[in-house]
Amino acid sequence: MKLTEEPHRRLNPLTREWVLVSPHRALRPWQGETEKLPPEAQPRYDPSCYLCPGNRRAGGVHNPDYGGTFVFNNDFAALKPDTSRERLDIGGRGLVVAEGEPGICRVICFSPRHDLTLSTMELTDVEGVVRTWTQQFQELGALPEIGHVQIFENRGAMMGASNPHPHSQVWATSSLPEAPAKEFASQTEYSHAHGSCLLCDYTKLELEQEIRIVCENDSFVALVPFWAVWPFEILICSRRHCSTLLELTVQEQSGLASILKQVSSTYDRVFEVPFPYSMGLHQAPTDEAAHPEWHFHAHFYPPLLRSAKVRKFMVGFEMLGTPQRDITAETAAERLRSLCTRAE
Ligand SMILES: [Zn+2]
Ligand SMILES: [Zn+2]
Ligand SMILES: [Zn+2]
């Protein structure tokens, strides 16, 4: 089978879901960007922003005059810590089932500067973000009612981010959410079957093949996974096997900050706009048990397809059948890699 020409489907071994790839539809040469958006300049400080230092948030709380990162409990939290874990099964046949979900939602501002992003912040300040994520993971993960801590960033209005001020969120839940639950099952089974780690083995294979690597440093590797669904999707894996932020050395924390900055600034060069995306860290569950089979990694899911305005939609066959893509992961990686090197 020719992966560059024939329609085929690729397996995501982490979620065990398939993606349909139609490379023949993308054989036409790259058209380049067709539409550009005017750069939207943000002020360093926005008096109407509820995340800027000193400003008033909903409910009347004033932000402190913070200088680095700033963490607070979300004023409109989707989860509440005092929720009961009661289970309902109306009719008793497992058809109408609900469970109480205790949890905590926090906002983590990256910087007091309203106009910066991970891509434009100084490396030392991104390192500060990684340290704050580590503290939050440690604090929330240690709570008895918290079984999983999800740290993520939604960037850009296209991804539903309500505010351009650079920030991420942390949602700590008692149950393991869907995406990490699938990855947890696959990683556990793989380690039982092969006596090794799924993502250690996969990263090794990718480093040998090279074609899907975007960039790398001493501690982390960024690649377009073979099974990528989103046009410019990226998976970042730690080189050394570790399961959470808590296991990173100071040098690895810096390596993570550096590759996050590098990937996000590469994205900004694809269509010469601040690239929208959802990014998140996937770490081992924080229940009582140890989970050595979990490999620490991060996902970037950006929606843009052909220009600053043309995004990918998951509709039709993708909604009812399986996700599909035209540009192959290899083509996307080649384009990202060339933009990544140009920056150095
Ligand atoms: Zn702001
Ligand atoms: Zn591993
Ligand atoms: Zn994952």
Side-chain angles (χ1 to χ4, degrees):
M1 179 174 61
K2 285 191 176 145
L3 292 176
T4 51
E5 290 170 25
E6 292 173 64
H8 58 276
R9 56 183 199 146
R10 299 185 181 192
L11 175 68
N12 179 340
L14 275 174
T15 59
R16 296 180 233 187
E17 291 162 349
W18 294 84
V19 52
L20 181 63
V21 183
S22 316
H24 58 293
R25 299 216 306 185
L27 280 181
R28 56 186 187 271
W30 186 269
Q31 303 284 305
E33 74 283 354
T34 50
E35 289 174 280
K36 273 191 198 167
L37 295 173
E40 200 184 322
Q42 297 289 341
R44 289 168 68 104
Y45 166 78
D46 177 351
S48 68
C49 168
Y50 63 90
L51 299 177
C52 276
N55 287 1
R56 187 175 173 275
R57 297 205 310 271
V61 187
H62 282 264
N63 294 328
D65 195 17
Y66 65 96
T69 59
F70 167 54
V71 183
F72 62 92
N73 284 325
N74 195 320
D75 300 310
F76 300 100
L79 298 158
K80 297 190 289 182
D82 49 4
T83 307
S84 90
R85 296 203 65 173
E86 189 191 352
R87 185 184 162 94
L88 277 185
D89 182 354
I90 297 165
R93 308 184 128 218
L95 296 174
V96 184
V97 174
E99 279 179 2
E101 178 76 45
I104 297 167
C105 296
R106 288 182 178 165
V107 175
I108 302 169
C109 295
F110 292 161
S111 161
R113 286 271 302 269
H114 186 83
D115 57 336
L116 296 181
T117 61
L118 280 184
S119 55
T120 52
M121 283 168 67
E122 295 295 331
L123 179 61
T124 50
D125 295 331
V126 183
E127 288 168 354
V129 171
V130 170
R131 280 196 300 275
T132 302
W133 285 340
T134 307
Q135 287 156 6
Q136 289 299 312
F137 180 82
Q138 181 155 39
E139 183 188 323
L140 294 169
L143 298 172
E145 69 273 24
I146 297 302
H148 184 261
V149 178
Q150 183 60 58
I151 293 167
F152 64 95
E153 180 193 8
N154 276 338
R155 183 178 154 192
M158 197 177 264
M159 293 309 279
S162 50
N163 188 328
H165 194 110
H167 70 286
S168 60
Q169 299 185 55
V170 50
W171 288 26
T173 51
S174 64
S175 68
L176 193 55
E178 282 298 303
K182 286 177 189 165
E183 297 187 353
F184 180 62
S186 306
Q187 290 182 95
T188 305
E189 269 185 38
Y190 186 94
S191 104
H192 288 159
H194 301 274
S196 57
C197 162
L198 191 159
L199 281 178
C200 278
D201 289 0
Y202 175 65
T203 307
K204 190 164 163 271
L205 206 67
E206 288 292 4
L207 285 167
E208 282 163 14
Q209 291 211 341
E210 292 182 342
I211 49 173
R212 283 174 296 272
I213 304 289
V214 176
C215 56
E216 52 184 298
N217 60 35
D218 289 345
S219 310
F220 287 89
V221 180
L223 54 93
V224 179
F226 182 70
W227 56 82
V229 165
W230 295 93
F232 295 99
E233 181 174 333
I234 282 180
L235 174 70
I236 296 178
C237 291
S238 60
R239 278 188 192 270
R240 186 173 66 84
H241 182 83
C242 54
S243 302
T244 71
L245 282 170
L246 304 183
E247 294 164 49
L248 300 190
T249 63
V250 172
Q251 198 204 340
E252 286 168 332
Q253 286 181 343
S254 175
L256 177 60
S258 168
I259 209 156
L260 289 171
K261 183 172 159 59
Q262 199 172 9
V263 164
S264 52
S265 53
T266 298
Y267 276 151
D268 290 351
R269 284 190 290 274
V270 175
F271 300 123
E272 295 171 60
V273 284
F275 216 62
Y277 59 72
S278 273
M279 179 275 285
L281 307 180
H282 267 167
Q283 310 186 67
T286 58
D287 50 13
E288 307 288 87
H291 297 293
E293 65 290 315
W294 187 282
H295 190 116
F296 177 77
H297 62 279
H299 299 278
F300 273 88
Y301 298 124
L304 290 181
L305 179 61
R306 275 197 305 277
S307 77
K309 284 183 180 166
V310 181
R311 61 158 294 169
K312 177 182 177 66
F313 284 101
M314 294 275 213
V315 293
F317 189 75
E318 311 209 275
M319 194 177 260
L320 293 151
T322 203
Q324 184 268 344
R325 62 181 292 145
D326 294 346
I327 323 166
T328 62
E330 295 73 33
T331 310
E334 191 185 346
R335 183 161 162 82
L336 289 169
R337 193 165 51 238
S338 71
L339 292 167
C340 197
T341 354
R342 203 188 294 172
E344 285 162 358

